[in-house]
Amino acid sequence: MFKRDPTKSHMMPAHFGARYHGPGSSGWYRDVTALTVPYVTDGSQLAQLLPQGFEPAAEPIISVFYACNRQVDWLAGRGYNMIGVNADVTYRSDGESLGGTFALVIWENLTDPILTGRELQGIPKVYADIPDHSVSNDVWRCNASHFGHTIVDIEVSGLRAPELEEIAASEKALKGKDNPMGWRYIQQAGSFEPKLDEYTTFPSENHITQIMLGEGKVEWKNLSWEQNPTQFHIVNALKSLPILDYRPAALTKGSTNLILPDRLPRPLK
Amino acid sequence: MKPHGEGHVCFIGGGTMGCYNALLAALAGYDAVVYDIAWDSLLEVPQRVSEIAGEMAIAGLISPKAAQDASSRIAIQKDLKAALYGAGLVSESIFENLAVKRELFAELERYAASDTILTTNSSSLLVSDIEDAVIDGSRFAALHSHLGAMLFDIVPGPRTSPATLSRLQDYVQHLGGVSLVLKKENKGYVFNAMIGPVLAAAMLQVIDGAASIEEVDRAWMKRTGSPMGPFGMMDLFGTRLIYDSWKNRPAMPEQPLMDLMKRKVLSFLAPVVGTGRFGMRSGRGFYTYPDPAYAAPDFLQAHPETSLADYALTSAWTQNAVLIATNDVARPHDVDRAWIAATRQAKGPFAILDEIGLERALTLFHVTGPLAGPENAGKVHKCLIDQLAQGRSGLQVGKGFYEYPDPAYAAVTFLSGSVI
């Protein structure tokens, strides 16, 4: 009979044994190119999407980001692309209070990080086709689609090097708020009640080697059930959040480490 | 003590270079007065001087006693008129802003005695950019020092008098330095005009994903025998200094590739400088200090002798050295002399070209890409072709820019050789 090793990480199908962990399988994403387009939205409308305990930050900002992840250690040097949506939030409960971002949804074009992200960290990941970004006439573009229908188009243009003051301001704004959070929710088999229902935080460490700022543009699509039967409600909800004011978009290059020994993923109190 | 009775030396700007230059003067027996417009910066001068002196003592360049004596000869002064009173020489090292420097020099001329020599230590601005801000150009020149090196570039302006040049050469000699009087002004003088492109090539290697910071530094250290590579050097110079020098480059709409390079470099340096990683002095830059990775005994082991990074850096270095010579700024041997004086390496770029062989160097330049602009590329190409036409293809045939087996650069007198 298969016996689970309680000292190791398991995912379905668990009966084949623990996930591989060995030399070269660290949490480092060695080569990450990312575009981030933040914009201010309507706080009360955003609040409708947030589960209990979360409320929009004083300035209700949505950040739509794309990342082209290459040289991913735990994928033996392979990579994948993602497009995600974060909301600036404050989490408050009897146990703790935390400022940070709430992951509304993340699309990825590879199954493996979707499964690990959902099962181990509580990140709301779903699948989409996400081709590599294009750069033409200094305009960076990317998009996600599923079942042949576009979900979102993202564009960043007018790139320039940031002023040092902008870097310092960003550092200051992030101080104490570098807390990505999510809702780990799995329904019971044969019931609509949750089997697993917890909020999580999953810190990572970004080493940015290059940053440029520019003007961003996000275009959400309206989709029907026929066009994208599993995600149309997600896309339409995001489209319904108004884009009130774009903030400077960023192009960054660098590396990311998802495993911080002193800040491992954990359930929120 | 005032060697030759020249009065004290007044240093305008209490940053790293101002303090370093004040210390060199004080070590040579001059009284030094440091002025800075910012009181906070001025109050930090004794600490900065002490740190620089400490580093020089650790490196065995000066004794602790000499450092202590020198420090006692350095005064600070918040009042510009008082700082200039009785000064024989003024050395300016404020931040690289042309408008501010021009305004400053007009003020210095107003307050300094008529025979006081006025010099700029600017790294990136030209003498001609500043010199017409003073009425009496005969006493103005660039006197440019290099942190941690005893090389001093002296660049006369169109009105600089021979007497001023002579006094500046005497001053450098008293400091125990090597002076290089440029035949004509050149952006970045001689050493910076070579090291600048090397640093740019190093950053572009990393920005474009061709190599890591460590790979770039390793390549340079292997090629030149230097104790650190370009990123270690940027930490030594201070990342803010490098950032400012790029930031203050004027836009070049007629050369979009240069503007693109500037944007790339600034976007690379901004996250470093903007997060307080100012280099060696702050304990963090591209490396962490006091024990940077490049100083580890095994840093150079088990890695290939040559690499694409090596080709890119060597090409940028030697092409710019050739350009300096072909532009008649300095002769090849003086270019090497400047390099050796500034870096304490055994060989300069022309010796390296001989080592590589000029035919192979032409191939290298072709593969790594020419310097910006077809005119510059043509000059470099012609220089090497002319050498080849004379049968001077390098070390392998016994003659190139030097004669072998006893090249001039290997002679103990090379550094003290005649300058232009």
Side-chain angles (χ1 to χ4, degrees):
Chain A
M1 186 181 76
F2 169 75
K3 277 195 173 173
R4 188 180 66 87
D5 180 346
T7 66
K8 291 183 175 167
S9 170
H10 290 72
M11 287 176 66
M12 288 193 294
H15 45 274
F16 284 103
R19 298 175 68 216
Y20 173 78
H21 178 72
S25 68
S26 81
W28 276 104
Y29 287 47
R30 307 279 171 186
D31 178 8
V32 178
T33 301
L35 299 171
T36 307
V37 182
Y39 55 82
V40 180
T41 190
D42 180 88
S44 56
Q45 281 183 255
L46 173 60
Q48 299 300 311
L49 293 178
L50 299 177
Q52 189 180 0
F54 291 94
E55 58 188 64
E59 188 168 49
I61 288 181
I62 294 279
S63 293
V64 181
F65 65 91
Y66 157 86
C68 174
N69 301 312
R70 296 293 177 268
Q71 297 180 46
V72 178
D73 276 8
W74 71 276
L75 293 175
R78 293 174 181 80
Y80 62 95
N81 298 335
M82 63 203 288
I83 286 180
V85 187
N86 286 335
D88 285 10
V89 296
T90 302
Y91 169 72
R92 284 195 184 90
S93 75
D94 294 341
E96 68 179 306
S97 178
L98 209 56
T101 55
F102 182 79
L104 290 170
V105 63
I106 294 177
W107 284 274
E108 292 182 340
N109 68 349
L110 188 70
T111 312
D112 307 76
I114 293 175
L115 295 178
T116 52
R118 290 175 70 105
E119 293 186 23
L120 303 180
Q121 294 171 296
I123 307 175
K125 296 184 174 186
V126 291
Y127 179 82
D129 295 317
I130 306 172
D132 287 356
H133 58 273
S134 67
V135 187
S136 175
N137 289 327
D138 215 19
V139 179
W140 292 59
R141 293 185 179 88
C142 59
N143 67 79
S145 63
H146 195 29
F147 298 115
H149 292 277
T150 301
I151 294 167
V152 64
D153 283 317
I154 301 171
E155 190 178 291
V156 176
S157 60
L159 286 164
R160 62 173 174 84
E163 298 298 327
L164 295 182
E165 294 74 21
E166 290 174 306
I167 300 272
S170 164
E171 283 268 297
K172 193 178 167 192
L174 268 180
K175 200 157 190 171
K177 291 185 179 170
D178 183 19
N179 302 301
M181 294 175 270
W183 181 16
R184 193 163 175 238
Y185 179 90
I186 294 177
Q187 190 181 289
Q188 280 183 28
S191 159
F192 291 157
E193 289 304 306
K195 177 67 183 173
L196 210 160
D197 182 3
E198 65 182 6
Y199 302 140
T200 60
T201 180
F202 34 87
S204 61
E205 174 189 10
N206 296 309
H207 287 198
I208 292 175
T209 55
Q210 204 183 348
I211 179 164
M212 291 193 206
L213 301 180
E215 289 96 52
K217 193 175 144 194
V218 174
E219 192 180 337
W220 292 104
K221 304 296 180 184
N222 247 328
L223 294 175
S224 64
W225 175 78
E226 288 80 2
Q227 289 171 320
N228 187 337
T230 55
Q231 300 172 354
F232 77 102
H233 61 300
I234 300 172
V235 182
N236 292 347
L238 292 170
K239 182 173 174 59
S240 72
L241 290 175
I243 299 174
L244 300 177
D245 185 25
Y246 280 110
R247 293 298 154 90
L251 159 66
T252 57
K253 292 186 179 187
S255 53
T256 298
N257 184 12
L258 297 189
I259 302 175
L260 309 181
D262 56 339
R263 291 182 74 202
L264 290 171
R266 66 171 177 90
L268 295 176
K269 293 174 204 159
Chain B
M1 182 182 173
K2 300 178 178 68
H4 292 257
E6 288 181 342
H8 70 268
V9 187
C10 179
F11 295 91
I12 308 293
T16 301
M17 290 311 294
C19 289
Y20 173 69
N21 288 327
L23 179 62
L24 292 185
L27 283 166
Y30 290 90
D31 289 330
V33 175
V34 180
Y35 163 86
D36 199 301
I37 197 167
W39 188 234
D40 288 352
S41 179
L42 205 53
L43 289 177
E44 287 172 9
V45 165
Q47 178 64 23
R48 280 197 196 105
V49 168
S50 168
E51 285 170 8
I52 297 169
E55 284 168 19
M56 290 174 77
I58 289 168
L61 300 173
I62 56 174
S63 69
K65 172 79 168 61
Q68 196 180 359
D69 290 349
S71 299
S72 71
R73 279 192 284 273
I74 300 173
I76 59 173
Q77 179 53 259
K78 179 75 174 77
D79 184 289
L80 182 59
K81 286 181 191 170
L84 292 170
Y85 183 77
L89 172 67
V90 176
S91 166
E92 166 274 318
S93 300
I94 67 165
F95 59 98
E96 301 283 33
N97 180 301
L98 179 58
V100 175
K101 286 204 189 224
R102 286 179 61 87
E103 201 175 314
L104 171 68
F105 271 98
E107 201 173 9
L108 293 176
E109 186 177 39
R110 262 200 311 278
Y111 298 142
S114 60
D115 59 346
T116 305
I117 294 179
L118 306 176
T119 66
T120 177
N121 192 47
S122 172
S123 295
S124 58
L125 299 171
L126 291 174
V127 165
S128 59
D129 290 333
I130 304 170
E131 80 96 33
D132 63 348
V134 296
I135 297 163
D136 177 10
S138 70
R139 58 169 167 155
F140 176 80
L143 175 64
H144 178 245
S145 62
H146 300 264
L147 192 64
M150 292 308 282
L151 172 68
F152 295 82
D153 303 293
I154 299 174
V155 190
R159 299 179 291 162
T160 309
S161 72
T164 296
L165 276 185
S166 175
R167 279 173 67 189
L168 288 175
Q169 283 179 287
D170 284 349
Y171 175 67
V172 172
Q173 196 178 2
H174 280 121
L175 299 187
V178 174
S179 60
L180 182 67
V181 182
L182 272 61
K183 289 179 172 179
K184 60 183 181 186
E185 67 177 2
N186 188 50
K187 198 96 178 168
Y189 305 96
V190 170
F191 177 71
N192 284 3
M194 290 185 282
I195 197 68
V198 169
L199 301 184
M203 286 188 276
L204 290 174
Q205 285 283 303
V206 176
I207 291 167
D208 293 339
S212 67
I213 285 172
E214 290 79 11
E215 284 165 345
V216 167
D217 277 1
R218 192 175 286 126
W220 182 256
M221 290 162 72
K222 279 181 174 265
R223 168 64 68 187
T224 64
S226 169
M228 65 182 72
F231 289 98
M233 283 189 253
M234 284 189 264
D235 278 350
L236 173 67
F237 302 151
T239 55
R240 177 72 198 238
L241 183 76
I242 307 294
Y243 175 87
D244 285 343
S245 70
W246 280 88
K247 180 78 179 166
N248 292 326
R249 285 184 181 202
M252 302 174 77
E254 75 287 359
Q255 288 195 48
L257 283 178
M258 295 302 283
D259 274 353
L260 179 64
M261 184 161 82
K262 177 180 173 180
R263 191 181 75 178
K264 276 183 171 182
V265 167
L266 286 176
S267 70
F268 175 74
L269 288 171
V272 177
V273 181
T275 53
R277 289 181 282 153
F278 298 124
M280 229 173 253
R281 284 179 194 285
S282 70
R284 281 192 322 152
F286 292 105
Y287 294 91
T288 51
Y289 297 86
D291 300 309
Y294 60 75
D298 60 348
F299 188 69
L300 296 182
Q301 285 169 13
H303 292 281
E305 284 303 313
T306 57
S307 63
L308 288 176
D310 170 39
Y311 296 152
L313 299 178
T314 304
S315 177
W317 177 35
T318 53
Q319 282 197 74
N320 279 284
V322 173
L323 197 59
I324 289 165
T326 57
N327 280 340
D328 207 26
V329 174
R331 294 176 308 200
H333 287 203
D334 287 321
V335 172
D336 276 8
R337 187 174 288 121
W339 185 270
I340 292 167
T343 64
R344 299 190 185 90
Q345 289 169 15
K347 295 171 192 169
F350 286 96
I352 292 291
L353 279 173
D354 278 356
E355 206 169 89
I356 293 169
L358 301 199
E359 280 180 12
R360 193 158 164 258
L362 279 171
T363 309
L364 175 70
F365 295 168
H366 181 72
V367 170
T368 53
L371 294 167
E375 192 189 346
N376 287 343
K379 283 180 183 174
V380 171
H381 191 263
K382 183 177 180 308
C383 173
L384 266 55
I385 291 289
D386 287 350
Q387 286 284 112
L388 285 168
Q390 296 169 41
R392 308 184 74 87
S393 61
L395 174 62
Q396 207 168 19
V397 299
K399 57 181 179 178
F401 289 101
Y402 293 90
E403 305 283 340
Y404 297 88
D406 299 309
Y409 65 77
V412 288
T413 55
F414 185 62
L415 279 187
S416 57
S418 69
V419 289
I420 305 155

